[in-house]
Structures are given as C-alpha cells and as structure tokens.
Amino acid sequence: MTILKEAAATEPAAFTERPLAGAQFDWPALEKARHARSTRARPASSALFMSETIDGLNAGAHFLDRLPAPEQARVHAAARTITVPQGEMVFSQGDGHDGIFIIRRGQVRVYYTAPSGREITLAYWTPGHFIGGPEISGGGIHMWSGIAIETCEIAALSGPALEKLLTGMPSFALALIDGLVAKGKCYSSMAQILGTRSVIERLAQFLLTLSELHGTADGDTIVINRKITHDQIAAMVGSTRQWVTMMLKRFQNRRIISIDGSIIRIRRIDLLEQILFKE
C-alpha cells in the first residue's frame, strides 16, 4: 500500500481522499518545484499561514514602505504604543472593535474559536503587519482573536486616529489599501486550501512550508527550527490533535520524518511533495 493510500485511509470521513489507484507523478514537475524551493530567498521573519507557496507570505509587512520617513513617523506618532506580554490577548473575538494594531516587535497568532471550542488559526503575524481587521475605523465586533506568542510591542491606531490619517494623508490611504490587499490574499489562500486540499495534503503542505521558512539542512535531512505543538498544527490544517498525532506517527513509520522531542526532521521531502503533486 502506498503512503498516499495509507494516509487517505486514516482521514476522517469528511476529508476522504479521492481514489488514488493508478496515480501518476510528474517527476520533472517535482524536480522543478524542489529546485525552486532550494533557490528561493527565505524571508528573515515571515508571517505564517496556509498557502501553496511561501511567496507573498510577508507581503503585508511592507504596507507602510511606500511612505517617506516623515510620513511613517507621523503614522507612528498617531498611535498608542502598548506592550502585550506573552500569552496575553491583543484583542478577543466578540469584543467591540476600535481601530487596528501594527506589530512592531514580536509575533501574534490570529485565530477563530467555534461554539464547540475548536479553533482554526488564520495566521501567525510578525513585525510590520497590521492586525485587528476587517473593520478599519471602528464599529462592529472582532471576528477573530489575537494572542501574543511572545512579548509584543504594538502600535494601536484608534478609529478616530485612523480616520484623521486617511483623510489628511492620501499616501497613507493607499498604503492601507496595500495592507488590505495582502490580508485579502491571506483569506483567499486559506479558503482555497480548505476547499480544495484534503487534510493530509494540508499537513504535507504545512510541513513543506515550515521546511522552507525554518529549515536547516543537516546531511540528508532538513531540521525544522521552530517548536510547534500537535495542537498548533491541528489548528493550522483544520483537523484535530489526535489526527495530527496519528498522522505524524505514520509519517515516522514510513521514514518521511523523524521527531526527537520537539524537533521535527524531514527525511524524505520528495514523499511529501508526492502527496501534493499527484495527478
């Protein structure tokens, strides 16, 4: 039985894989993808969300780059600087909305909690990104929650401050549109993957993304230099911790990965790619 068939057999019924008998792999395409991965520039401190590629993951961090230094200073002067300790909430789902938050230092996980208590992660946002949308100038309630993964320094722009900047500085309005475009692409990427990729494909894609963003070559393996729990993986790929634990054990049994404590090593990246590039 192939790894793909075994993986499919472990998926919940809601995520059942389509039949794979006679599946063929485009090896030139696999080699081309692998070459692209090895030559692609790695972002220094990239955001992380479910996407088919790391290209564009960090585009939103540059939304203020179009502004000259004096105008950037004006934006930051209009904001209130707050420090959010690790594990504390930046904003909470259901709370009243009043403006946005620009991350200056640290990392924030943005996620949604269902009535059942199950969570799905939208993204891990890093310095330069703004969070707290989709409302901009205030009103309504937060549709997501944001929690500090590490101690964060954040510039909080209230609704009135934002309106003043938008009406008095057209270049800032255009910059904010750039940021909203990046956010829209994030939401679209998440919807596309949840709607078109099976849960096993999403897990494979997530491991490949981690290898590109946080991987270091160690002989024939790639060491993922980012600690991540089974719960965190489950919230990213839209599954359960139990399923993730079972699937990672199966990957270990097939020698696709190895896990030593909190360290994940990818031993057969080609087999992960096969899951994604099957016809």
Side-chain angles (χ1 to χ4, degrees), residues 128-172:
H129 291 276
F130 80 82
I131 55 177
E135 298 285 352
I136 294 297
S137 59
I141 61 174
H142 283 287
M143 300 176 66
W144 306 82
S145 294
I147 187 170
I149 298 301
E150 55 197 35
T151 299
C152 295
E153 181 182 298
I154 290 175
L157 276 168
S158 68
L162 269 172
E163 287 192 357
K164 186 175 180 179
L165 289 170
L166 289 169
T167 56
M169 194 190 309
S171 56
F172 174 71

mmCIF file of all heavy atoms in Angstrom, residues 128-172:
data_model
loop_
_atom_site.group_PDB
_atom_site.id
_atom_site.type_symbol
_atom_site.label_atom_id
_atom_site.label_comp_id
_atom_site.label_asym_id
_atom_site.label_seq_id
_atom_site.Cartn_x
_atom_site.Cartn_y
_atom_site.Cartn_z
ATOM 1 N N GLY A 128 5.627 44.458 11.323
ATOM 2 C CA GLY A 128 5.282 45.156 10.083
ATOM 3 C C GLY A 128 3.849 44.935 9.655
ATOM 4 O O GLY A 128 3.257 45.773 8.963
ATOM 5 N N HIS A 129 3.257 43.815 10.057
ATOM 6 C CA HIS A 129 1.874 43.515 9.694
ATOM 7 C C HIS A 129 0.912 44.260 10.612
ATOM 8 O O HIS A 129 1.212 44.504 11.781
ATOM 9 C CB HIS A 129 1.602 42.017 9.817
ATOM 10 C CG HIS A 129 2.299 41.183 8.798
ATOM 11 N ND1 HIS A 129 1.804 40.973 7.536
ATOM 12 C CD2 HIS A 129 3.478 40.506 8.860
ATOM 13 C CE1 HIS A 129 2.633 40.193 6.857
ATOM 14 N NE2 HIS A 129 3.664 39.901 7.626
ATOM 15 N N PHE A 130 -0.252 44.614 10.067
ATOM 16 C CA PHE A 130 -1.301 45.140 10.928
ATOM 17 C C PHE A 130 -2.353 44.059 11.133
ATOM 18 O O PHE A 130 -2.593 43.224 10.266
ATOM 19 C CB PHE A 130 -1.900 46.445 10.384
ATOM 20 C CG PHE A 130 -2.909 46.283 9.286
ATOM 21 C CD1 PHE A 130 -4.237 45.971 9.570
ATOM 22 C CD2 PHE A 130 -2.555 46.480 7.953
ATOM 23 C CE1 PHE A 130 -5.177 45.842 8.556
ATOM 24 C CE2 PHE A 130 -3.485 46.349 6.933
ATOM 25 C CZ PHE A 130 -4.799 46.030 7.240
ATOM 26 N N ILE A 131 -2.957 44.059 12.295
ATOM 27 C CA ILE A 131 -3.961 43.070 12.656
ATOM 28 C C ILE A 131 -5.156 43.793 13.271
ATOM 29 O O ILE A 131 -5.084 44.973 13.592
ATOM 30 C CB ILE A 131 -3.399 42.036 13.657
ATOM 31 C CG1 ILE A 131 -2.820 42.742 14.883
ATOM 32 C CG2 ILE A 131 -2.324 41.177 12.993
ATOM 33 C CD1 ILE A 131 -2.299 41.793 15.949
ATOM 34 N N GLY A 132 -6.254 43.058 13.412
ATOM 35 C CA GLY A 132 -7.428 43.642 14.046
ATOM 36 C C GLY A 132 -8.556 43.965 13.092
ATOM 37 O O GLY A 132 -9.582 44.495 13.512
ATOM 38 N N GLY A 133 -8.378 43.680 11.783
ATOM 39 C CA GLY A 133 -9.446 43.915 10.831
ATOM 40 C C GLY A 133 -10.556 42.879 10.992
ATOM 41 O O GLY A 133 -10.494 42.045 11.892
ATOM 42 N N PRO A 134 -11.578 42.866 10.120
ATOM 43 C CA PRO A 134 -11.629 43.651 8.882
ATOM 44 C C PRO A 134 -12.092 45.102 9.049
ATOM 45 O O PRO A 134 -11.941 45.903 8.139
ATOM 46 C CB PRO A 134 -12.628 42.873 8.032
ATOM 47 C CG PRO A 134 -13.550 42.244 9.020
ATOM 48 C CD PRO A 134 -12.694 41.904 10.197
ATOM 49 N N GLU A 135 -12.693 45.432 10.187
ATOM 50 C CA GLU A 135 -13.065 46.832 10.391
ATOM 51 C C GLU A 135 -11.798 47.683 10.452
ATOM 52 O O GLU A 135 -10.752 47.234 10.908
ATOM 53 C CB GLU A 135 -13.844 46.991 11.694
ATOM 54 C CG GLU A 135 -15.162 46.224 11.736
ATOM 55 C CD GLU A 135 -16.254 46.871 10.917
ATOM 56 O OE1 GLU A 135 -16.038 48.002 10.435
ATOM 57 O OE2 GLU A 135 -17.325 46.252 10.781
ATOM 58 N N ILE A 136 -11.893 48.912 9.980
ATOM 59 C CA ILE A 136 -10.727 49.792 9.969
ATOM 60 C C ILE A 136 -10.906 50.943 10.954
ATOM 61 O O ILE A 136 -10.114 51.139 11.872
ATOM 62 C CB ILE A 136 -10.460 50.348 8.550
ATOM 63 C CG1 ILE A 136 -10.054 49.205 7.615
ATOM 64 C CG2 ILE A 136 -9.377 51.409 8.587
ATOM 65 C CD1 ILE A 136 -8.769 48.513 8.013
ATOM 66 N N SER A 137 -11.976 51.703 10.790
ATOM 67 C CA SER A 137 -12.142 52.908 11.607
ATOM 68 C C SER A 137 -12.999 52.692 12.845
ATOM 69 O O SER A 137 -13.336 53.637 13.543
ATOM 70 C CB SER A 137 -12.752 54.032 10.756
ATOM 71 O OG SER A 137 -14.007 53.642 10.234
ATOM 72 N N GLY A 138 -13.353 51.430 13.124
ATOM 73 C CA GLY A 138 -14.128 51.160 14.324
ATOM 74 C C GLY A 138 -15.547 50.728 14.013
ATOM 75 O O GLY A 138 -16.011 50.812 12.880
ATOM 76 N N GLY A 139 -16.253 50.263 15.030
ATOM 77 C CA GLY A 139 -17.610 49.763 14.858
ATOM 78 C C GLY A 139 -17.598 48.259 14.683
ATOM 79 O O GLY A 139 -16.611 47.673 14.237
ATOM 80 N N GLY A 140 -18.693 47.613 15.049
ATOM 81 C CA GLY A 140 -18.769 46.171 14.917
ATOM 82 C C GLY A 140 -17.960 45.466 15.997
ATOM 83 O O GLY A 140 -17.535 46.072 16.983
ATOM 84 N N ILE A 141 -17.765 44.160 15.809
ATOM 85 C CA ILE A 141 -17.016 43.367 16.783
ATOM 86 C C ILE A 141 -15.900 42.607 16.079
ATOM 87 O O ILE A 141 -15.928 42.421 14.855
ATOM 88 C CB ILE A 141 -17.927 42.365 17.521
ATOM 89 C CG1 ILE A 141 -18.559 41.388 16.532
ATOM 90 C CG2 ILE A 141 -18.988 43.109 18.325
ATOM 91 C CD1 ILE A 141 -19.355 40.275 17.187
ATOM 92 N N HIS A 142 -14.918 42.202 16.851
ATOM 93 C CA HIS A 142 -13.824 41.413 16.299
ATOM 94 C C HIS A 142 -14.320 40.027 15.905
ATOM 95 O O HIS A 142 -15.000 39.348 16.683
ATOM 96 C CB HIS A 142 -12.696 41.268 17.328
ATOM 97 C CG HIS A 142 -11.856 42.503 17.467
ATOM 98 N ND1 HIS A 142 -10.954 42.898 16.503
ATOM 99 C CD2 HIS A 142 -11.788 43.425 18.457
ATOM 100 C CE1 HIS A 142 -10.352 44.003 16.894
ATOM 101 N NE2 HIS A 142 -10.848 44.359 18.070
ATOM 102 N N MET A 143 -13.977 39.606 14.685
ATOM 103 C CA MET A 143 -14.363 38.288 14.184
ATOM 104 C C MET A 143 -13.328 37.230 14.544
ATOM 105 O O MET A 143 -13.580 36.035 14.401
ATOM 106 C CB MET A 143 -14.537 38.342 12.671
ATOM 107 C CG MET A 143 -15.606 39.329 12.226
ATOM 108 S SD MET A 143 -15.737 39.471 10.430
ATOM 109 C CE MET A 143 -16.323 37.830 10.011
ATOM 110 N N TRP A 144 -12.127 37.665 14.970
ATOM 111 C CA TRP A 144 -11.044 36.767 15.326
ATOM 112 C C TRP A 144 -10.502 37.172 16.684
ATOM 113 O O TRP A 144 -10.841 38.237 17.207
ATOM 114 C CB TRP A 144 -9.906 36.861 14.292
ATOM 115 C CG TRP A 144 -10.314 36.645 12.877
ATOM 116 C CD1 TRP A 144 -10.871 37.567 12.031
ATOM 117 C CD2 TRP A 144 -10.206 35.441 12.119
ATOM 118 N NE1 TRP A 144 -11.106 37.011 10.803
ATOM 119 C CE2 TRP A 144 -10.711 35.705 10.830
ATOM 120 C CE3 TRP A 144 -9.716 34.167 12.399
ATOM 121 C CZ2 TRP A 144 -10.744 34.738 9.820
ATOM 122 C CZ3 TRP A 144 -9.749 33.202 11.397
ATOM 123 C CH2 TRP A 144 -10.262 33.486 10.136
ATOM 124 N N SER A 145 -9.637 36.355 17.228
ATOM 125 C CA SER A 145 -8.867 36.697 18.418
ATOM 126 C C SER A 145 -7.396 36.786 18.034
ATOM 127 O O SER A 145 -6.940 36.125 17.098
ATOM 128 C CB SER A 145 -9.037 35.635 19.512
ATOM 129 O OG SER A 145 -10.360 35.608 20.000
ATOM 130 N N GLY A 146 -6.653 37.600 18.777
ATOM 131 C CA GLY A 146 -5.216 37.713 18.561
ATOM 132 C C GLY A 146 -4.495 37.558 19.882
ATOM 133 O O GLY A 146 -4.770 38.298 20.828
ATOM 134 N N ILE A 147 -3.557 36.600 19.958
ATOM 135 C CA ILE A 147 -2.829 36.340 21.188
ATOM 136 C C ILE A 147 -1.332 36.472 20.943
ATOM 137 O O ILE A 147 -0.826 36.050 19.888
ATOM 138 C CB ILE A 147 -3.172 34.932 21.745
ATOM 139 C CG1 ILE A 147 -2.537 34.737 23.115
ATOM 140 C CG2 ILE A 147 -2.768 33.833 20.786
ATOM 141 C CD1 ILE A 147 -3.016 33.481 23.827
ATOM 142 N N ALA A 148 -0.635 37.071 21.887
ATOM 143 C CA ALA A 148 0.806 37.266 21.745
ATOM 144 C C ALA A 148 1.531 35.940 21.961
ATOM 145 O O ALA A 148 1.421 35.336 23.021
ATOM 146 C CB ALA A 148 1.297 38.302 22.743
ATOM 147 N N ILE A 149 2.262 35.490 20.946
ATOM 148 C CA ILE A 149 3.040 34.257 21.049
ATOM 149 C C ILE A 149 4.329 34.520 21.816
ATOM 150 O O ILE A 149 4.897 33.633 22.452
ATOM 151 C CB ILE A 149 3.349 33.697 19.650
ATOM 152 C CG1 ILE A 149 2.048 33.352 18.919
ATOM 153 C CG2 ILE A 149 4.243 32.467 19.720
ATOM 154 C CD1 ILE A 149 1.192 32.336 19.650
ATOM 155 N N GLU A 150 4.784 35.729 21.754
ATOM 156 C CA GLU A 150 5.923 36.200 22.537
ATOM 157 C C GLU A 150 5.608 37.640 22.916
ATOM 158 O O GLU A 150 4.662 38.226 22.387
ATOM 159 C CB GLU A 150 7.214 36.107 21.715
ATOM 160 C CG GLU A 150 7.139 36.836 20.383
ATOM 161 C CD GLU A 150 8.235 36.404 19.414
ATOM 162 O OE1 GLU A 150 8.606 35.218 19.421
ATOM 163 O OE2 GLU A 150 8.719 37.268 18.674
ATOM 164 N N THR A 151 6.362 38.189 23.841
ATOM 165 C CA THR A 151 6.099 39.575 24.236
ATOM 166 C C THR A 151 6.164 40.492 23.014
ATOM 167 O O THR A 151 7.126 40.457 22.246
ATOM 168 C CB THR A 151 7.109 40.032 25.290
ATOM 169 O OG1 THR A 151 6.974 39.200 26.445
ATOM 170 C CG2 THR A 151 6.868 41.481 25.682
ATOM 171 N N CYS A 152 5.119 41.293 22.833
ATOM 172 C CA CYS A 152 4.981 42.118 21.634
ATOM 173 C C CYS A 152 4.946 43.603 21.971
ATOM 174 O O CYS A 152 4.396 44.008 23.005
ATOM 175 C CB CYS A 152 3.687 41.766 20.888
ATOM 176 S SG CYS A 152 3.623 40.102 20.220
ATOM 177 N N GLU A 153 5.523 44.385 21.092
ATOM 178 C CA GLU A 153 5.346 45.832 21.120
ATOM 179 C C GLU A 153 4.453 46.182 19.947
ATOM 180 O O GLU A 153 4.750 45.827 18.800
ATOM 181 C CB GLU A 153 6.682 46.550 21.002
ATOM 182 C CG GLU A 153 6.557 48.063 21.041
ATOM 183 C CD GLU A 153 7.896 48.761 20.878
ATOM 184 O OE1 GLU A 153 8.765 48.540 21.746
ATOM 185 O OE2 GLU A 153 8.069 49.498 19.884
ATOM 186 N N ILE A 154 3.365 46.867 20.239
ATOM 187 C CA ILE A 154 2.327 47.093 19.234
ATOM 188 C C ILE A 154 1.917 48.556 19.206
ATOM 189 O O ILE A 154 1.789 49.203 20.258
ATOM 190 C CB ILE A 154 1.099 46.202 19.527
ATOM 191 C CG1 ILE A 154 1.461 44.726 19.251
ATOM 192 C CG2 ILE A 154 -0.109 46.617 18.700
ATOM 193 C CD1 ILE A 154 0.387 43.757 19.609
ATOM 194 N N ALA A 155 1.736 49.078 17.988
ATOM 195 C CA ALA A 155 1.217 50.430 17.797
ATOM 196 C C ALA A 155 -0.284 50.323 17.551
ATOM 197 O O ALA A 155 -0.709 49.759 16.541
ATOM 198 C CB ALA A 155 1.909 51.105 16.616
ATOM 199 N N ALA A 156 -1.064 50.836 18.495
ATOM 200 C CA ALA A 156 -2.523 50.766 18.390
ATOM 201 C C ALA A 156 -3.041 52.067 17.803
ATOM 202 O O ALA A 156 -2.879 53.140 18.396
ATOM 203 C CB ALA A 156 -3.135 50.519 19.758
ATOM 204 N N LEU A 157 -3.670 51.963 16.631
ATOM 205 C CA LEU A 157 -4.257 53.129 15.966
ATOM 206 C C LEU A 157 -5.765 53.081 16.154
ATOM 207 O O LEU A 157 -6.437 52.187 15.647
ATOM 208 C CB LEU A 157 -3.915 53.118 14.471
ATOM 209 C CG LEU A 157 -2.565 53.709 14.068
ATOM 210 C CD1 LEU A 157 -2.250 53.359 12.617
ATOM 211 C CD2 LEU A 157 -2.554 55.222 14.257
ATOM 212 N N SER A 158 -6.295 54.024 16.916
ATOM 213 C CA SER A 158 -7.734 54.052 17.167
ATOM 214 C C SER A 158 -8.498 54.445 15.907
ATOM 215 O O SER A 158 -7.922 54.966 14.944
ATOM 216 C CB SER A 158 -8.040 55.041 18.287
ATOM 217 O OG SER A 158 -7.772 56.367 17.846
ATOM 218 N N GLY A 159 -9.818 54.206 15.947
ATOM 219 C CA GLY A 159 -10.649 54.574 14.807
ATOM 220 C C GLY A 159 -10.547 56.040 14.443
ATOM 221 O O GLY A 159 -10.307 56.389 13.279
ATOM 222 N N PRO A 160 -10.701 56.955 15.400
ATOM 223 C CA PRO A 160 -10.584 58.387 15.089
ATOM 224 C C PRO A 160 -9.200 58.758 14.543
ATOM 225 O O PRO A 160 -9.097 59.575 13.614
ATOM 226 C CB PRO A 160 -10.854 59.063 16.433
ATOM 227 C CG PRO A 160 -11.721 58.104 17.169
ATOM 228 C CD PRO A 160 -11.210 56.752 16.787
ATOM 229 N N ALA A 161 -8.139 58.174 15.109
ATOM 230 C CA ALA A 161 -6.789 58.466 14.612
ATOM 231 C C ALA A 161 -6.623 57.985 13.172
ATOM 232 O O ALA A 161 -6.022 58.676 12.339
ATOM 233 C CB ALA A 161 -5.744 57.816 15.519
ATOM 234 N N LEU A 162 -7.191 56.824 12.883
ATOM 235 C CA LEU A 162 -7.111 56.293 11.518
ATOM 236 C C LEU A 162 -7.863 57.197 10.543
ATOM 237 O O LEU A 162 -7.368 57.489 9.446
ATOM 238 C CB LEU A 162 -7.701 54.882 11.470
ATOM 239 C CG LEU A 162 -6.748 53.718 11.690
ATOM 240 C CD1 LEU A 162 -7.536 52.416 11.805
ATOM 241 C CD2 LEU A 162 -5.746 53.624 10.547
ATOM 242 N N GLU A 163 -9.065 57.627 10.912
ATOM 243 C CA GLU A 163 -9.850 58.480 10.025
ATOM 244 C C GLU A 163 -9.111 59.781 9.731
ATOM 245 O O GLU A 163 -9.111 60.270 8.593
ATOM 246 C CB GLU A 163 -11.216 58.770 10.637
ATOM 247 C CG GLU A 163 -12.162 57.589 10.598
ATOM 248 C CD GLU A 163 -13.587 57.987 10.945
ATOM 249 O OE1 GLU A 163 -13.804 59.184 11.269
ATOM 250 O OE2 GLU A 163 -14.471 57.122 10.893
ATOM 251 N N LYS A 164 -8.465 60.344 10.743
ATOM 252 C CA LYS A 164 -7.709 61.586 10.558
ATOM 253 C C LYS A 164 -6.542 61.373 9.596
ATOM 254 O O LYS A 164 -6.286 62.203 8.708
ATOM 255 C CB LYS A 164 -7.210 62.088 11.909
ATOM 256 C CG LYS A 164 -6.531 63.456 11.852
ATOM 257 C CD LYS A 164 -6.172 63.939 13.246
ATOM 258 C CE LYS A 164 -5.500 65.320 13.184
ATOM 259 N NZ LYS A 164 -5.156 65.806 14.556
ATOM 260 N N LEU A 165 -5.838 60.246 9.744
ATOM 261 C CA LEU A 165 -4.717 59.947 8.848
ATOM 262 C C LEU A 165 -5.205 59.691 7.426
ATOM 263 O O LEU A 165 -4.598 60.148 6.448
ATOM 264 C CB LEU A 165 -3.942 58.728 9.363
ATOM 265 C CG LEU A 165 -3.104 58.921 10.621
ATOM 266 C CD1 LEU A 165 -2.596 57.577 11.131
ATOM 267 C CD2 LEU A 165 -1.923 59.865 10.349
ATOM 268 N N LEU A 166 -6.310 58.973 7.299
ATOM 269 C CA LEU A 166 -6.817 58.619 5.971
ATOM 270 C C LEU A 166 -7.293 59.851 5.206
ATOM 271 O O LEU A 166 -7.098 59.945 3.987
ATOM 272 C CB LEU A 166 -7.964 57.614 6.105
ATOM 273 C CG LEU A 166 -7.563 56.190 6.546
ATOM 274 C CD1 LEU A 166 -8.796 55.374 6.893
ATOM 275 C CD2 LEU A 166 -6.760 55.499 5.454
ATOM 276 N N THR A 167 -7.930 60.791 5.910
ATOM 277 C CA THR A 167 -8.438 61.982 5.225
ATOM 278 C C THR A 167 -7.352 63.026 5.007
ATOM 279 O O THR A 167 -7.440 63.830 4.071
ATOM 280 C CB THR A 167 -9.586 62.611 6.040
ATOM 281 O OG1 THR A 167 -9.134 62.894 7.365
ATOM 282 C CG2 THR A 167 -10.781 61.666 6.093
ATOM 283 N N GLY A 168 -6.324 63.013 5.841
ATOM 284 C CA GLY A 168 -5.287 64.043 5.724
ATOM 285 C C GLY A 168 -4.027 63.598 5.031
ATOM 286 O O GLY A 168 -3.159 64.438 4.725
ATOM 287 N N MET A 169 -3.906 62.289 4.749
ATOM 288 C CA MET A 169 -2.694 61.778 4.128
ATOM 289 C C MET A 169 -3.073 60.719 3.085
ATOM 290 O O MET A 169 -3.143 59.528 3.390
ATOM 291 C CB MET A 169 -1.766 61.170 5.190
ATOM 292 C CG MET A 169 -0.346 60.914 4.694
ATOM 293 S SD MET A 169 0.649 59.925 5.883
ATOM 294 C CE MET A 169 0.406 60.806 7.412
ATOM 295 N N PRO A 170 -3.344 61.141 1.841
ATOM 296 C CA PRO A 170 -3.743 60.190 0.803
ATOM 297 C C PRO A 170 -2.749 59.044 0.612
ATOM 298 O O PRO A 170 -3.146 57.909 0.307
ATOM 299 C CB PRO A 170 -3.832 61.058 -0.452
ATOM 300 C CG PRO A 170 -4.102 62.429 0.064
ATOM 301 C CD PRO A 170 -3.348 62.525 1.345
ATOM 302 N N SER A 171 -1.474 59.314 0.805
ATOM 303 C CA SER A 171 -0.473 58.259 0.629
ATOM 304 C C SER A 171 -0.655 57.156 1.675
ATOM 305 O O SER A 171 -0.412 55.972 1.398
ATOM 306 C CB SER A 171 0.942 58.832 0.730
ATOM 307 O OG SER A 171 1.126 59.516 1.961
ATOM 308 N N PHE A 172 -1.112 57.538 2.865
ATOM 309 C CA PHE A 172 -1.379 56.527 3.888
ATOM 310 C C PHE A 172 -2.600 55.695 3.508
ATOM 311 O O PHE A 172 -2.633 54.481 3.754
ATOM 312 C CB PHE A 172 -1.593 57.180 5.255
ATOM 313 C CG PHE A 172 -2.015 56.198 6.319
ATOM 314 C CD1 PHE A 172 -1.121 55.260 6.807
ATOM 315 C CD2 PHE A 172 -3.315 56.215 6.821
ATOM 316 C CE1 PHE A 172 -1.515 54.348 7.781
ATOM 317 C CE2 PHE A 172 -3.704 55.306 7.792
ATOM 318 C CZ PHE A 172 -2.807 54.368 8.276
#
